[in-house]
């Protein structure tokens, strides 16, 4: 099968190559999926670039374990491993495939517990765009943020992969939503349901009279002090970005909110989104009912994954970056 393979760290355009490799065989509890579409997200950038360096503890210090990027897939079940009873060959599914062999390939093995049925009226590309970013948005708002109906929520980075889904999910959860993005994305953020849009090139959300019950910060480009100024006295700040800093600065950025949290009335939270079948089912229901739509920045063919990831890793994707794998599939 054809797959995008990485065997050293660096810029995606230089370290990712298209190769012919063996088709994987599903183990116990796994499903072999013929991938129709995949999507990539910012976490894939960290893994391919080997930055932040701390990440290499898991992926290999000097060289990465040979791997295929991507966590998110939509496709058809090709075969099932032992112990899988909820899927059969031919079923249309979408979800998350974590592990060494990732989504940017013609076939991938995924744990059955991280896949759900794809709604019939939703395209493979639409579905593939949702799992990691949609779950990060849902978990950031609902679990970490404890969002309640009618609360005022601000989403920093509202036009990105997580942000564009978070705006819509926050609306479904009954919130009044403000999205922060640059001028070229104002209309897009409004079109996906934001009640208010702040153009960060002309307006500073940390320096206005508006106060929010919850801020989901996908960018973390402002100091804690500045962002907390935009919260109500007992508001919640959910921090959702590890990018934009390195070394000691990154470590300080990661732990500072936790050190400060016991001494302030506002809740300061970091979280790690872990795929759960029930939550994926919930996102599938939202897709099926039309209450959630993937804003797709651009769809690239499999051989253009290096260019797709260079675009994503530059940090200004408008919605999700999707890979159409199905065309040209070979056994
Ligand atoms: N907690 C978890 O488990 C979890 C899971 C998944 C992802 N994440 C994290 O979530 C973060 C966001 O991921 P993503 O996939 O949404 O990234 P993305 O698709 O690359 O989006 C980044 C967005 O940030 C916006 N942006 C850049 N500079 C900005 C600024 N100064 N002010 C406001 N917005 C700005 C960009 O909009 P413009 O082009 O308009 O500037 C772009 O739309 C990443 O750090 C990722 O690691 C966390």
């Amino acid at each position: 099968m054809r797959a995008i393979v990485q065997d050293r760290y660096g810029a995606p355009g230089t370290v990712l190559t298209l190769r012919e490799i063996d088709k994987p065989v599903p183990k116990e509890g796994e499903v072999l999926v013929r991938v129709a579409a995949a999507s990539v997200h910012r976490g894939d950038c960290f893994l391919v670039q080997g930055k932040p360096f701390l990440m290499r503890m898991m992926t290999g210090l000097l060289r990465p374990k040979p791997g295929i990027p991507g966590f998110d897939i939509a496709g058809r079940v090709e075969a099932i491993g032992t112990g899988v009873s909820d899927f059969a060959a031919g079923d249309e599914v979408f979800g998350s495939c974590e592990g060494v062999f990732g989504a940017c390939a013609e076939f991938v093995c995924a744990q059955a517990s991280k896949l759900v049925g794809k709604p019939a009226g939703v395209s493979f590309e639409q579905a593939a765009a949702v799992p990691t970013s949609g779950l990060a948005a849902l978990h950031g708002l609902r679990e970490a943020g404890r969002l309640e109906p009618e609360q005022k929520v601000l989403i920093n980075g509202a036009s990105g992969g997580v942000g564009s889904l978070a705006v819509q999910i926050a609306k479904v959860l009954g919130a009044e939503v403000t999205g922060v993005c640059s001028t070229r994305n104002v209309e897009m953020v409004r079109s996906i349901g934001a009640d208010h849009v702040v153009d960060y090139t002309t307006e500073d959300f940390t320096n206005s009279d508006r106060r929010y019950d919850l801020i989901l910060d996908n960018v973390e480009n402002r100091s804690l002090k500045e962002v907390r100024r935009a919260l109500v006295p007992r508001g919640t700040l959910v921090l959702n970005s590890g990018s934009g800093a390195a070394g000691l600065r990154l470590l300080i950025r990661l732990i500072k909110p936790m050190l400060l949290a016991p001494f302030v009335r506002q809740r300061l939270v970091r979280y790690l989104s872990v795929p759960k079948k029930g939550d994926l089912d919930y996102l599938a229901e939202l897709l099926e009912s039309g209450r959630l739509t993937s804003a797709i920045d651009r769809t690239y063919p499999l051989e253009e994954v290096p260019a797709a990831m260079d675009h994503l890793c530059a940090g200004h994707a408008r919605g999700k970056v999707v890979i159409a794998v199905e065309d040209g599939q070979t056994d």
Side-chain angles (χ1 to χ4, degrees):
M1 68 164 186
R2 297 184 316 147
I4 295 290
V5 181
Q6 173 201 6
D7 44 26
R8 62 196 167 95
Y9 292 120
T14 59
V15 302
L16 296 176
T17 50
L18 183 68
R19 296 207 202 134
E20 281 290 332
I21 62 167
D22 291 340
K23 196 158 99 175
V25 176
K27 300 191 197 89
E28 187 179 354
E30 288 184 348
V31 172
L32 176 67
V33 178
R34 178 186 282 263
V35 182
S39 76
V40 284
H41 75 104
R42 283 302 280 282
D44 296 315
C45 298
F46 307 148
L47 294 174
V48 172
Q49 294 166 337
K51 289 180 193 164
F53 204 82
L54 220 56
M55 209 152 216
R56 297 190 186 195
M57 298 297 172
M58 290 171 290
T59 56
L61 215 53
L62 297 177
R63 299 178 77 81
K65 296 168 191 154
I68 299 170
F71 286 76
D72 295 335
I73 49 164
R76 294 178 191 83
V77 172
E78 182 80 2
I80 54 172
T82 53
V84 176
S85 55
D86 38 359
F87 295 110
D91 285 355
E92 294 188 346
V93 293
F94 78 108
S96 173
C97 60
E98 290 173 312
V100 175
F101 295 102
C104 294
E106 288 176 329
F107 295 91
V108 69
C109 287
Q111 289 172 26
S113 59
K114 291 180 180 161
L115 293 176
V116 296
K118 179 184 79 63
V122 174
S123 71
F124 285 110
E125 291 176 17
Q126 279 278 321
V130 166
T132 300
S133 300
L135 290 171
L138 180 65
H139 294 156
L141 292 166
R142 200 183 59 186
E143 269 82 48
R146 300 179 194 163
L147 181 62
E148 288 174 16
E150 293 178 29
Q151 283 193 326
K152 289 185 173 59
V153 56
L154 177 134
I155 296 165
N156 194 22
S159 58
V162 175
S164 60
L165 293 161
V167 167
Q168 299 174 71
I169 293 169
K171 286 302 295 176
V172 170
L173 297 175
E176 181 182 322
V177 181
T178 299
V180 181
C181 61
S182 63
T183 314
R184 71 186 185 103
N185 292 322
V186 167
E187 273 320 305
M188 178 268 207
V189 171
R190 198 165 278 140
S191 74
I192 56 174
D195 300 289
H196 317 279
V197 184
V198 174
D199 175 348
Y200 69 75
T201 67
T202 55
E203 214 183 321
D204 179 358
F205 76 89
T206 70
N207 220 349
S208 93
D209 294 337
R210 278 187 235 148
R211 297 284 178 274
Y212 302 92
D213 301 293
L214 169 64
I215 295 178
L216 175 63
D217 191 349
N218 298 309
V219 189
E220 289 192 48
N221 57 326
R222 309 300 300 268
S223 72
L224 266 185
K225 193 175 166 190
E226 287 170 327
V227 180
R228 286 182 50 220
R229 215 161 47 203
L231 278 178
V232 297
R234 290 189 179 276
T236 297
L237 171 59
V238 176
L239 296 147
N240 185 35
S241 175
S243 54
L248 194 59
R249 273 189 58 226
L250 174 65
L251 203 63
I252 292 170
R253 184 205 270 193
L254 290 176
I255 60 172
K256 192 174 170 186
M258 278 67 248
L259 296 177
L260 189 64
F263 304 102
V264 296
R265 285 191 295 164
Q266 294 159 333
R267 284 181 66 238
L268 312 177
V269 196
R270 280 196 188 283
Y271 72 107
L272 184 65
S273 168
V274 178
K276 289 190 204 114
K277 206 174 177 91
D279 293 339
L280 265 177
D281 273 324
Y282 175 68
L283 295 178
E285 275 169 38
L286 296 185
L287 281 170
E288 187 166 28
S289 66
R291 286 184 294 167
L292 184 68
T293 316
S294 316
I296 295 179
D297 175 331
R298 202 175 140 189
T299 302
Y300 295 75
L302 184 62
E303 57 273 21
E304 288 182 24
V305 166
M309 288 204 59
D310 275 340
H311 170 59
L312 171 73
C313 303
H316 293 282
R318 180 188 281 171
K320 290 293 302 179
V321 175
V322 170
I323 313 300
V325 181
E326 191 145 57
D327 283 347
Q329 264 191 357
T330 51
D331 276 351

